[in-house]
Amino acid sequence: MSKIKQFFKKKKEEAAFKFKLGESSLGHGHSLNSSDAASSSQKKERSSEKYVPPKRKELSNEARSAADAALLRVQKKDPKVLNTSLAAIKAQAKRELEAEAATKKGEAKCESESKSEMMCDGVFYRCPLVSDEVLPKKDWKIKIKEFLYQQLSTSEEKALTSCLIILNCNTKDKADDCVLTLTKYLENIINHPNEEKYCSIRMSNRIFSEKVRYVDGAIDFLNACGFREIVLDNEPFLIWSKDNIEQDYELASLLEALKNAEQIHLELDRNLKVLLPSQVKNVSLPNDFYRISPEEIKREQQLRTEAIENTQILKTKAMREREEHRTLRMYKYALVRVKFPNGLYLQGTFNVYEKLSDVFEFVQSCLSNESMEFNLVASSEGKFAEEDLDKSLFDLRLIPNVLLLFTVPELNSQDCNYLKEDLLLLVQNM
C-alpha cells in the first residue's frame, strides 16, 4: 500500500473513532485507569512531592528519534572528535560546579562563556510520512511539495495525491476556495447526472480562473475525476466523462477524499541537547519561537514603555496580569532545561500548549534508570502539585524558557550518572 493511501486510511480510521466517541452515553468523567470513586480519592491522597513514572523496559521511539536527530546535527556541525567518555564529562561538570559555587561566594569567577550555537539553534520538525529527516518548517514545506509531486508522477494514486497537493502546497485561503469550488463541480454532476451543462467547465470562466486554474494540484484532481481538456470554437474547455475517472474509484469517493483531506502533520522535534554548566549562562531564543516578528515585538514594547512614561499611572494587579498574558501569547514554543545534581543540563523544545506531564515523560525517557522516582522543581515556583501535571506550560507560565531542577528522594549525588550513556554523546565540545 502506498504512503498516500496509508495516510488517507489512517485519517479515515481516526474520523470513525471520533464518531464512535460522540455516540457514547454521557455521564460523570472517569480516567481511563480508574474503576470507581475510591481510586480517584486515592489519587488525591498521593504525595505531590514526587513524580512516580510508569515502568518501561525500552527507550521510547520519540526519545530515540530525538537523540538520533540531535546527534546527527552535532556531528554535522562539529567534525572534531569529542572527548565524550563518562569520566571526562563527569570531571568537567564537577569542575564547573565548583567554579559556579566559588563565584557565588565571591572567591572566583567562571570565565567560560556560552556560545550562541549551544543555546537553541531553532525549531525543528519530523515528518514520518515523507522521511526520517529533522528539518525546520520552511524546509519541510519544500520537501513535502517535492515528495507529493514525485508521488503524483510515479504513483497510481493521482487523485488522493492531488488532494494533498491542494491542501499542502497553497495558502490556506487559496486552498479553501479551491476545495469549495471543486466540491460544487462534483456535486452538480453527482446530483444531476443527465444534465450536460454540468459536464463541462469553460476554462476562461472568471470563477474557475480565480479559484481553480492556477492552484497547485487542482487540474490534476479534475483529470483524476474524469475531466479532459479540449478546444471548442477556439476556446479551452474541461469536459467530464465517466470513462475517464481514475481506475478503482467513483466520483462520490473522490469527492469524499477531497473533503476529508488534511495538511500533512509535522511532529515537533525536541532538539534534545545535553549541556555543561558553562554552556547555559544565557538563553538566546531564535525567531521561530515567536508568533510575531522580533521587529514587531520591539515596536510593541516601545509603545508600551512610552505609554507608561506619558501617563505615569500605577498599574493594578489586573492590569499587570493582562499585560503579562499579552506578552506570553507572543511565544509559540518553550525552551525547557532540566538541571541534574551532577551539573549536566538536559534541554528540549516544547509547544507552549503541551502539558507538564509531557516534560516529565521526556525527562523519564532520557534516564539511565527509567523506573527511577524523581521530581522536577521550578527554581521560581517551587514544587508542582499533582494537578499541575495536566496543565499546559502556558497556564503554568513556564514560557518562553524555564529551568527545572531534577530531584530524587534521599539522593542528591554529584557522582551519580542519571542520563543514558548514549545521550552523553550529545554533550557539546568541551
Side-chain angles (χ1 to χ4, degrees):
M1 186 182 295
S2 67
K3 287 186 175 181
I4 300 298
K5 207 160 187 177
Q6 288 177 349
F7 177 84
F8 275 88
K9 182 180 179 181
K10 181 180 179 182
K11 294 299 179 184
K12 192 172 183 180
E13 291 173 352
E14 290 175 353
F17 177 70
K18 292 177 182 178
F19 178 74
K20 289 180 181 179
L21 286 180
E23 291 181 340
S24 61
S25 58
L26 299 177
H28 296 290
H30 297 281
S31 61
L32 292 177
N33 59 353
S34 64
S35 58
D36 49 30
S39 62
S40 61
S41 63
Q42 291 174 359
K43 286 185 178 180
K44 294 181 180 179
E45 296 174 357
R46 268 191 272 168
S47 171
S48 61
E49 296 186 356
K50 63 181 181 180
Y51 173 75
V52 182
K55 295 184 178 179
R56 295 188 296 179
K57 296 181 180 180
E58 298 181 356
L59 179 66
S60 66
N61 291 333
E62 179 182 351
R64 185 179 292 107
S65 300
D68 292 343
L71 177 59
L72 182 61
R73 286 195 298 275
V74 171
Q75 291 173 341
K76 286 183 178 179
K77 286 180 189 175
D78 195 352
K80 299 178 182 178
V81 178
L82 304 183
N83 184 7
T84 56
S85 67
L86 182 57
I89 293 172
K90 281 184 178 181
Q92 179 71 10
K94 187 174 182 179
R95 285 195 298 271
E96 294 184 2
L97 277 178
E98 292 173 351
E100 184 179 0
T103 301
K104 292 179 180 179
K105 296 179 181 179
E107 297 176 359
K109 183 177 181 181
C110 183
E111 298 178 353
S112 300
E113 295 183 358
S114 53
K115 302 177 182 179
S116 59
E117 65 179 8
M118 294 180 181
M119 297 306 172
C120 181
D121 47 5
V123 179
F124 299 89
Y125 296 85
R126 287 177 281 116
C127 185
L129 177 68
V130 179
S131 70
D132 296 328
E133 295 177 276
V134 179
L135 302 168
K137 182 177 288 187
K138 62 179 181 179
D139 292 343
W140 270 122
K141 289 182 178 179
I142 300 173
K143 196 84 175 178
I144 288 174
K145 187 171 184 177
E146 293 175 350
F147 167 77
L148 290 176
Y149 271 101
Q150 181 183 11
Q151 292 292 312
L152 188 67
S153 61
T154 59
S155 173
E156 296 180 356
E157 305 294 338
K158 298 188 182 301
L160 302 183
T161 304
S162 58
C163 289
L164 294 180
I165 291 176
I166 294 173
L167 268 293
N168 290 275
C169 301
N170 300 284
T171 62
K172 186 178 186 305
D173 292 339
K174 199 172 182 180
D176 290 344
D177 288 342
C178 179
V179 170
L180 288 175
T181 305
L182 293 175
T183 298
K184 188 65 176 177
Y185 290 152
L186 299 188
E187 287 179 343
N188 284 337
I189 297 176
I190 294 172
N191 297 331
H192 309 281
N194 298 322
E195 296 192 28
E196 293 184 2
K197 65 178 181 179
Y198 295 124
C199 297
S200 64
I201 302 173
R202 184 163 53 89
M203 299 184 72
S204 59
N205 177 272
R206 181 181 62 84
I207 294 179
F208 179 81
S209 297
E210 292 178 356
K211 298 185 178 182
V212 178
R213 189 169 188 175
Y214 302 106
V215 176
D216 285 339
I219 300 298
D220 298 298
F221 178 75
L222 288 173
N223 288 337
C225 290
F227 285 89
R228 294 294 183 270
E229 182 178 348
I230 64 172
V231 178
L232 298 175
D233 298 329
N234 296 323
E235 189 172 0
F237 281 81
L238 286 174
I239 305 299
W240 179 81
S241 172
K242 185 177 181 179
D243 297 333
N244 293 329
I245 298 177
E246 186 173 317
Q247 189 177 0
D248 299 329
Y249 284 98
E250 296 181 354
L251 205 59
S253 61
L254 294 178
L255 176 59
E256 181 184 3
L258 177 65
K259 290 181 177 180
N260 295 328
E262 297 179 1
Q263 287 193 333
I264 295 177
H265 177 63
L266 296 179
E267 298 178 1
L268 179 64
D269 181 67
R270 294 298 182 211
N271 194 13
L272 188 152
K273 291 186 178 181
V274 180
L275 304 174
L276 293 165
S278 62
Q279 298 166 341
V280 291
K281 298 300 180 184
N282 301 300
V283 177
S284 178
L285 297 177
N287 296 340
D288 294 339
F289 270 63
Y290 299 90
R291 295 185 185 276
I292 59 179
S293 66
E295 291 75 17
E296 292 173 320
I297 293 175
K298 292 180 182 178
R299 178 58 180 165
E300 184 173 346
Q301 291 175 339
Q302 182 180 357
L303 292 175
R304 290 179 185 176
T305 303
E306 292 175 355
I308 293 173
E309 292 175 351
N310 292 335
T311 58
Q312 293 296 316
I313 298 177
L314 293 176
K315 295 182 182 179
T316 65
K317 181 179 180 181
M319 292 171 63
R320 290 195 299 270
E321 289 178 351
R322 284 197 297 269
E323 183 174 342
E324 181 186 10
H325 191 268
R326 284 196 299 268
T327 302
L328 293 176
R329 288 191 64 84
M330 293 180 182
Y331 300 96
K332 296 171 62 178
Y333 305 99
L335 186 68
V336 177
R337 282 176 175 165
V338 179
K339 182 178 181 180
F340 290 84
N342 61 2
L344 293 180
Y345 289 75
L346 182 67
Q347 177 176 291
T349 303
F350 292 78
N351 188 289
V352 295
Y353 297 115
E354 288 191 76
K355 296 181 180 179
L356 180 62
S357 59
D358 295 322
V359 178
F360 273 87
E361 291 176 5
F362 165 68
V363 174
Q364 176 193 351
S365 67
C366 297
L367 298 178
S368 57
N369 178 14
E370 292 192 27
S371 62
M372 175 186 294
E373 295 182 7
F374 68 93
N375 195 19
L376 299 179
V377 180
S379 55
S380 58
E381 303 296 331
K383 294 182 178 180
F384 297 108
E386 185 176 352
E387 55 268 20
D388 291 335
L389 292 174
D390 290 328
K391 295 180 180 179
S392 69
L393 300 181
F394 180 90
D395 294 332
L396 295 172
R397 302 294 190 267
L398 301 179
I399 59 175
N401 55 276
V402 64
L403 174 62
L404 302 177
L405 305 179
F406 181 91
T407 62
V408 180
E410 302 178 359
L411 178 64
N412 192 26
S413 173
Q414 294 185 3
D415 296 327
C416 181
N417 179 33
Y418 298 94
L419 297 176
K420 290 182 170 67
E421 292 196 15
D422 57 340
L423 293 182
L424 296 178
L425 293 172
L426 302 180
V427 175
Q428 302 292 336
N429 192 350
M430 295 186 289

